[in-house]
Amino acid sequence: MSQEFEGPGVSGNQERPGAGPAPLNVNLDGTVQVKPAKPWYVRYGFSLALFALLLVLIAWLLIRQQQADKLPVLGAAPDFTYQDIDGKDVSMSSLDGKVRLVYFFFTNCPDVCPPTTFMLSQVQDKLKADGEFGKNVDIVSVTIDPVRDTPEALRVFGDKYHADYTGWKFLRGDEAETADLASKYGLLAVKDADGFFSHANLIVLVDKKGRMRDRILPASSGQPSAATADDVYEAVKKLM
């Protein structure tokens, strides 16, 4: 686009390539004053600054999310070899390559074990729907009362919660050894003089490399911040 003016000192066409027409002021003597256009960084500076601020905010939110999603390494999960309900030896190390949920319990537990096992069955069902259970994820339930928790008793207990034994291992070993094993997993399991067991109601999350990544407090504990089946499922998925 061009502007044409007639008069002394004015050429027929005034055009500024690449910048569009500049504002023109005509003096009384017929000469023209050309007002230079503002540089692009002046014209768009505010918009660019706002865009840069938005990028910084997005980057900060992504970093915060990654930090929230990252689980610490609590140490190597102690290895052990116990028998399952079929009398077969199962070692913790033989399950490496899978994410594991390890839970110490006993079938005669009057309070937290049944609802926690039910919650684990819900996690099992979610993982089965994904095709991950037994393939990339196992649940390992270890009894702290192996004298009363015979293979038959463990099977009855597992059947009650529709356990899929292809990915859910109910294991039993020596009683004293199991109490010591629980302590190595950061849990307390003790037997009083009356033969009653007390234990920390926590689920230990173990990654594919055999490292403990979290001790999850299940909702059956009654604590406001305790984990639901959805929370446990999401924690497992982070390690897939």
Side-chain angles (χ1 to χ4, degrees), residues 1-239:
M1 180 177 179
S2 63
Q3 300 285 342
E4 295 187 3
F5 294 88
E6 294 182 358
V10 181
S11 62
N13 293 312
Q14 295 289 332
E15 189 174 271
R16 300 178 70 248
L24 301 179
N25 293 322
V26 181
N27 297 326
L28 293 176
D29 60 0
T31 59
V32 177
Q33 294 179 349
V34 179
K35 186 177 181 180
K38 294 181 180 179
W40 66 269
Y41 52 82
V42 174
R43 285 179 288 162
Y44 304 111
F46 178 77
S47 297
L48 290 173
L50 190 62
F51 181 68
L53 182 61
L54 180 61
L55 290 179
V56 171
L57 178 60
I58 292 173
W60 180 78
L61 290 173
L62 288 174
I63 292 172
R64 285 291 301 273
Q65 184 62 43
Q66 290 174 351
Q67 290 175 341
D69 290 345
K70 188 175 181 180
L71 293 171
V73 176
L74 305 180
D79 195 17
F80 61 90
T81 301
Y82 285 170
Q83 288 189 338
D84 65 11
I85 57 177
D86 294 319
K88 297 179 180 178
D89 287 343
V90 177
S91 66
M92 189 63 173
S93 58
S94 70
L95 303 177
D96 283 352
K98 298 181 180 181
V99 178
R100 283 145 285 178
L101 294 167
V102 182
Y103 181 53
F104 289 84
F105 80 111
F106 62 109
T107 62
N108 289 295
C109 174
D111 39 46
V112 293
C113 298
T116 302
T117 302
F118 174 71
M119 188 190 74
L120 287 171
S121 73
Q122 292 177 308
V123 177
Q124 167 195 258
D125 293 343
K126 291 177 182 293
L127 292 167
K128 286 181 69 174
D130 292 344
E132 301 288 357
F133 191 72
K135 178 181 179 182
N136 293 310
V137 184
D138 278 349
I139 298 174
V140 181
S141 292
V142 182
T143 177
I144 59 175
D145 185 13
V147 175
R148 287 184 293 180
D149 287 344
T150 62
E152 294 76 16
L154 290 175
R155 185 182 292 276
V156 170
F157 187 80
D159 288 348
K160 182 179 179 181
Y161 297 99
H162 307 288
D164 181 347
Y165 299 113
T166 61
W168 197 334
K169 318 299 182 186
F170 284 84
L171 305 180
R172 59 192 296 273
D174 177 77
E175 183 179 305
E177 182 182 323
T178 302
D180 181 61
L181 178 66
S183 68
K184 292 178 180 178
Y185 274 83
L187 310 175
L188 176 68
V190 295
K191 183 179 181 181
D192 63 22
D194 296 325
F196 184 78
F197 289 88
S198 298
H199 67 102
N201 192 50
L202 297 170
I203 301 167
V204 182
L205 179 62
V206 178
D207 66 19
K208 293 182 177 183
K209 296 181 179 180
R211 302 174 301 180
M212 295 183 290
R213 303 299 296 274
D214 199 5
R215 295 183 182 93
I216 302 171
L217 181 66
S220 55
S221 65
Q223 299 298 319
S225 59
T228 64
D230 287 337
D231 296 329
V232 177
Y233 169 77
E234 291 299 330
V236 169
K237 295 292 284 186
K238 289 177 184 177
L239 299 181

